[in-house]
Every structure is written in C-alpha cells, then in structure tokens.
Amino acid sequence: MSPRTIGVTEVALRDAHQSLMATRMAMEDMVDACADIDAAGYWSVECWGGATYDACIRFLNEDPWQRLRTFRELMPNSKLQMLLRGQNLLGYRHYEDHVVDRFVEKSAENGMDVFRVFDALNDPRNMARAMEAVKKTGKHAQGTICYTISPLHTTEGYVKLAGRLLDMGADSIALKDMAALLQPQPAYDIIRGIKETYGEDVQINVHCHSTTGVTLVSLMKAIEAGADVVDTAISSMSLGPGHNPTESLVAMLEGTEYTTDLKMDRLLKIRDHFAKVRPKYAEFESATLVDTDIFSSQIPGGMLTNMESQLRAQGAGDRIREVMAEVPLVKADAGYPPLVTPSSQIVGTQAVFNVLMGKYKVLTGEFADLMLGYYGEAMGERNPEVVEIAHAQTKKDPITVRPADLLAPEWDKLVDEATSLPGNNGTDEDVLTYAMFPGVAPGFFEHREEGPKNVGKTAEQLADEASNKNEADRAVKGPITYRVSLGGREHSVIVERA
Amino acid sequence: MSPRTIGVTEVALRDAHQSLMATRMAMEDMVDACADIDAAGYWSVECWGGATYDACIRFLNEDPWQRLRTFRELMPNSKLQMLLRGQNLLGYRHYEDHVVDRFVEKSAENGMDVFRVFDALNDPRNMARAMEAVKKTGKHAQGTICYTISPLHTTEGYVKLAGRLLDMGADSIALKDMAALLQPQPAYDIIRGIKETYGEDVQINVHCHSTTGVTLVSLMKAIEAGADVVDTAISSMSLGPGHNPTESLVAMLEGTEYTTDLKMDRLLKIRDHFAKVRPKYAEFESATLVDTDIFSSQIPGGMLTNMESQLRAQGAGDRIREVMAEVPLVKADAGYPPLVTPSSQIVGTQAVFNVLMGKYKVLTGEFADLMLGYYGEAMGERNPEVVEIAHAQTKKDPITVRPADLLAPEWDKLVDEATSLPGNNGTDEDVLTYAMFPGVAPGFFEHREEGPKNVGKTAEQLADEASNKNEADRAVKGPITYRVSLGGREHSVIVERA
C-alpha cells in the first residue's frame, strides 16, 4: 500500500515569528525565502494575521496589504493562508457584518486563499458571517476549534463543535492548540471522533505550538487518527514558544504509512535563509525552551507574565500564587472559555481584581461584557450570581443573541473617518486598516511614504555589540599610571575606578 | 485495563550535562537535587561514565570515585547507572580482562547498580568480559545496541545482535541512539522484533538524544512496541544536543495505555534546581537547537566539527564537501561501523587524509588497526584491498580473534606505576584512575588535596559580566572634555578614542 500523503502548512512567515520574535520580522528578511517556499511542496503557506498586520503598521511602517500582494506575487504556486478572528476580523471588537464581508472580499482580491476562522470562545455564531463571506469569494473556509482543557471540554464536545462548523459550510476543520496543551491521546480521540462521525473525507488541519515539548507526538497521533494537514515551522524558526520543526516532521514519517510531498533540498535552503535572519531579532526572543507548567496551572505563559506585571504595578507582586488559584474559579464562572486573546486577558485581569479588591467587588468593563454575553457563548453556563453583579454594575442587560446582531451598520462612517486622515490613499484597504487599528492607523498613513523599517539588527550591529562586550571584559579593574604631557610638562597620573 | 508503567532513567547527572555543557557540572551543583531525584520514582539514575570520570580529574580536581560514593549516600533508594565502554572501560584502548574485572568489582563496591555496557563497533566480544564481570557482582548487566543507519544495519541485524547479548547473560537490552538518528518506525520495528523473537519479558531500555527534534516520537513508538524503560532529562537540562524532557514524557503518556510512576512535585523541584544551575555553564553550551542534517549526511555534528578543524589546520578549510562525500566510502570500506567515539574520529580523520593526500596513500595508525581487526568486528566485511594496504603500511597482521585476547596481564604493572606517583592513595580505585587516564591521573593525584573546583560562573560573576556589557553599550564614542586639577592648576583635557 502506498503511504498516505500528509499536507504541511509552513508557518515561518506568520505564527513562527509572531511566537518567537514578537512579530517583528521585516518583509525584506522574508522575500528571499519565498521562491523556495513556493517550490517546496507545502499544502499552504501561512503568512498573514492580526499580529502581523498590527506589527506592520505599528513597528515596521509597512502596508500589510502590500505585504500580502508581495507574497502573492512571489509565491504564485502556493495557497496563501491567514488567521482570522471571526467577527473580530484582525481587531479587538466585533465588527458589523458588512465590514466583515468587505474585509474578506478585499483579502481574497489581494491574494488570500485559505481563511482559518476562529473565535476565542469557540462560539460558532461569531465565525458564521466570516465563513459565509469566504464561501462567497470561492476561497477555502476553514472552521476552527480552539483546544483547551476544562471539565466541560470533552472529546464529544469538540466533535459536536466540528459538526456545527461543517454545517456552516467549512471546507475543512482546524484543531488549533495555541498553548501546546494538546496531548497525544486527546489529539487522536478528537480527530478520530470527527472522522468517524462526519466521514473520513472531512479534511482536518492540526496546529500545535511546541512549548510543552510533547506536541510533535500529538501530531503523530493526529496523523494516525486521520489528520490531513499539520502546521510546522522550518527548523531555524522552530521550537520554544513556536512550533515543531518541518524537517523533523519529514524525518518522523519516514518508513511509516505516511509521507509528505516536501522537497528536502528546498527545505534546507529555507532553513539556511532563516538561520541567518533569526539572530537579527534575538532581542525579541524569550528564553523559554520547554515549559510543561501549563499542564498543572492551565495558565498560558503570556497570560501569567501579564498578571505578574499588573500585580507589580499595584505593589502586590507577592500575591501571584493567590491570583493563579483564582484564575480557574473565574474561568469556571465565565463558563470555561478557552484562555486565548482576548479571553485570557479578560479572565486574568478579573482574577487580579478579585485578589486585590475582594471577589467581584469591582468588575472590569470587559469582564462584565463577557458575563453578559457580549463576547458570545462559551461551552459552559455562566454563573448567574456573577451575571447579576455585572448587570448591577453596568446597568447593561444580559444578551443571548449573536453579539454582532446588535451592531448598527458602520461601513460608511468608517469610510468618512478614514478618508479624512492625512496620507489615506482612498482605498477600501485603508478603510479596513483604520477600522482594525483606529489608534495606530492615522500615524501609519501619515508616515507611510517613508517606507518600511527593519527593526532587526544587521550583522555589523551585532558584531559591534559583541566587540563592545569584549572590550568591557578587558576593561581596567585596578589603577593604571599614565604619563601625561600638559603645558609642556610631564606628569604622572594615576587613574582608578572611583 | 490498568495502564502499563514505563520506567524512566534520569540522565541529568551524566549524559545531559555531558551533551549540553561539555561534562563540566561540579558535584556541588548536583547534590541539592539528589533527595528529590531519589524520591521521584525513576527506574534508575544515570550518574557516571567515561566523560564524567575524565572531566572530574581533568577539569574539576574531583575524585570520580568519591563522586560515586556521594551519589550512593545521597540516593539510597535509587538504582545508580553508568555507561561502560566494554573492554575499553572508561578509557580509549582495550584493557586486559583482569583490569576489566577489577574495574567492575570496584564500581559495584562503591555503589553502582546498573552497568550499560556498549562497544563502538557493536562487537559482542568486546562486551562479553565486562558483562560477565557485572553478573559476578550480582548487579544489573545491560547489553547495548548502538543504533546507526547503513545498508547493513537492518531490523533483523539488530534483533540478532540483541539475541547475542541475551545469550551473554544480559539482564536487559539498551537501544542506544547517540546521534538522534532513531526514527519512530525503526524504533517500533526493532523493539517489536526483539520482543517477538525473545519474548515479551525481555526488558528493553531506549536511549535517544533530541538533536533532530523527532525522538520523543520515537520513544512513543518504542513504548507502543513494548519498551520498558526510556531515558529522559529533566526539562531544565534537556533538548538541543541533549535529551527529551522528562516532564514532556509524562505529559505524552497521560490518557494513553501507558503511565510513569514519576511524582510531578519532585520533578518540578528537580527542574527548578537545574534551571538555576544551567546558566552558570552557559559558556560551554552549543547553539544547536535542532539539526536534521544528520539524516542526509550520516555524520554526527561533533565529528563534522572535528573534520573541519583538521582541514583548517591544513589550510584546506574549503574542502569539507569533498571530505563529507568521502566519509560514507571510508565507512563502507571499514565494514560500516557506527560512527561513535572512537570510530567516528578514526573514520573522519582517514577521510580527511584521503582527500588531502590521495585515497589511502597514508593511513592513520588507528585506521590501520581498525582495518586489521584490532578494534573488533563491525557489521560488514572490511574491504580486503584496504586491509592489504594497512598490512603493507604497518607490517601488522590482520586478526580475527577478540582483540583483548592478545593482551598480556597488566594489572601488576599498572599498580607499580600508579603507586609510584606522588599523591596516589594506594587504593585499587587510584590504580584504575591511572589505568584509564595515564596522562591526566598524575597531575590529579598531585593536586587532589586542593579539593574540587567549580568551573561554572556564580550569579555574581554573570551579573558582573552583564553590567560590563551594559557599560560597553554606554561607552563613549566621541570626544569628551574633562576639567582636570593638577598641581593646583585647572586644565581642560579633551579625551578621544585614538
């Protein structure tokens, strides 16, 4: 029997540098790898998403739409893939449906092929409009399950969710493990469950981070269960808070009933390219190599860092253990949302408030909205007592409808506001940039003409820093006597560190 | 059905710091972890071997026998494990049988429980005497298969080798993958083959490095095939050229048909201990995070580095590609020995000679010995033409007997030589130290009284270096004007970099 071919999505151009180097990689550090990526045989190339869009206009003075068009041009044979936060698009609030439609149309028009649509709460209603919009463009609509661990998150629950996404017309299902929590056995069970329930033909893509050191095994089990496509990063852009190495995946499958269509000579070139690039961004890298704490704490690393800095700002840095104990209680009260942007920040901040000010004495606006249904529905019931507190504090009523149903049309207003900004180029793309990031877009429009910046450090700059360090190592520790000629007379001067 | 319990060997105290930090870890940086290691529930604790012994006397001025006794005392409930190079013991030549016996007796007497006996060529005759000696002490004799890839190294061949080791009385079989070459499918096939041929009760231990990023999956497949014990390193001492993280193994098995008896609270303490220690040895660490090159080149990273420096020393640094192409040819001529110390050095150096001086124009003494059988038998036939060249160059006859059969008794001579050295304490242990490392032992004996050294850097030293670096970053680049008071008069002095 000939081996089954497993598709691979390369994430080096999006999630890998987002996870490893705070999304800072400049376009000029990616273009030279594109020809090899295009020819390597990937199922798709992930290259666009909320953080890359944000970083483009916030740090790199680069038009994210131009980046997309460049990728399209440089990788004509590849399916380009993006990550889309459902009704949030790439921003941090719900957008009215016509904005969603416009964003998807424009993305498709500029070259996007595969839309991985997700919602932080796994609420299908928050994904529906975006998926529908993708279907209308004829592109690939991927419905996403965010993986988390809770008493309510069972294999059956995930299988059911996959069913809802398929009913909504999903061309494939993504199992997205942003916290490296997906262990081998649940990976197997969920994928087998989906395949057995909805048919072996249902395409399943699996996305894992590598933080806990165990998820390449999860990919193996996922493949054994029938997964069709898995996400990896070329080895020189892999591991730590990032992803499993592409070449290791290839090696893993050698001799098994599975194979990939990847061309190793191309992979080596891609690897060598990013091996040269990665050191330029060393200052943005975290020191995390492997961290299995999340299996006991259930708290993603980034969320923990956030809560710690909030506590320190209040002079309560010593109370992190109490906050960590509070997080699961708040999460349960909120109906067990997965802890991913933005729910991780909302739950984490409320846990900090509870510890510092007393249980639910003060709710953040976001947490109140979460409890009242304005972010959508999580897997579990929300605690009615806390819902009542949220109602009392905010005077807002709890809702059960899809949150975006409450929004008034806003496209024309966004056009008016965007086009009045200096430097706006009058395109729908610019309106969307303004819609996503209204605080950052005006400055970007104004300075766009200055062209892209590269915040990485060149080899020269790095060498210079290293040589400074060496000089410091040789620096004088004890007193030194100099002969100094001054006004024609010789003096002996002793110099010593004060 | 209750899950099958998988034993775990913790390698933090031996192979992990050998692989990650050039074996430099001082005993004082290990003792505080021992109580937790002893209570964590490991099958065994690897803590002794050739490189740790060597580093003790060469760099750390520490008596390796005292280290063993300290481990014994601090971990009374654990099986201590060592790696023994068969007839080479911990040195770089074959020893006469009585030296082998004495070494094993003394090791057992000082507290060793499990002897992992291996031979670089996988020649069972080179392991036989050591295994016999272990059996006599009543300790655990583990026969080892060094894993490599070659046209001759088939599953059947490995299974057959396991049979020979079992015939020799092996209490268990180790599958040792020093180059991270063991892919999931062969791991499964070899272990299944051994179990099916010799019985499910045959204990199999699996040792993998993590360099290629794929071997945690291989451990999973090994376990599914019936492996009983696997080697891992606590996460803060894991990955890169080292081993898979112990906590990730635990997470990997959760929910499967397998489990470990490890206590997570102890693992976290061990992890936290070494997380503090590891930065002290940062200067010894390599930058390798993941490297899959070996799958195509078949050349371990350390061997490549070696050959490159040999070439550079000859002003031929640009010929590494030719040498890399030559290595597999030399390896084939030598009968496909696994490339591990010392065969990797012997084959690599001969490949360099062939490229620089013409094919087999000059043989190294070691390569000639390898070709003439003085290291034992590899899996394949040696090329008779090259054997003839070796004979012609050295005037030595090829042998087919076990190499150690040709050695005369040497114990009394070693005693005489060792006891004449200043500082020798008159014990058999000191004779063995001299026998293993005759070049290093005299200096060690002489200075032993000065006590152990720690070549790691304290937090203060590291902070000092970091602050020097910061000072350098702030260092003056342009001219600065100082007011200087000298002999009662004020002067203005301009200081500028020359």
Side-chain angles (χ1 to χ4, degrees), chain B residues 329-376:
Chain B
L329 306 177
V330 176
K331 187 180 169 188
D333 285 337
Y336 295 103
L339 296 180
V340 58
T341 303
S343 51
S344 53
Q345 289 89 332
I346 297 172
V347 168
T349 305
Q350 190 57 48
V352 169
F353 274 41
N354 284 3
V355 165
L356 294 184
M357 293 181 266
K359 189 112 179 177
Y360 298 125
K361 287 281 180 257
V362 180
L363 304 193
T364 68
E366 291 79 9
F367 185 74
D369 279 352
L370 180 65
M371 291 308 296
L372 293 168
Y374 290 91
Y375 285 92

Side-chain angles (χ1 to χ4, degrees), chain A residues 112-177:
Chain A
M112 190 51 62
D113 297 299
V114 179
F115 293 76
R116 177 172 287 171
V117 181
F118 82 101
D119 175 66
L121 302 189
N122 277 334
D123 185 340
R125 301 172 309 163
N126 290 337
M127 299 184 245
R129 184 70 179 218
M131 303 235 330
E132 205 177 299
V134 176
K135 301 291 289 180
K136 273 190 196 140
T137 66
K139 302 294 186 177
H140 186 112
Q142 187 168 82
T144 303
I145 298 168
C146 289
Y147 182 74
T148 190
I149 296 178
S150 88
L152 296 184
H153 286 81
T154 59
T155 299
E156 294 68 34
Y158 286 121
V159 171
K160 216 157 142 187
L161 177 56
R164 292 192 62 182
L165 298 170
L166 291 169
D167 289 343
M168 281 158 47
D171 295 304
S172 62
I173 300 293
L175 181 58
K176 175 180 161 69
D177 171 33

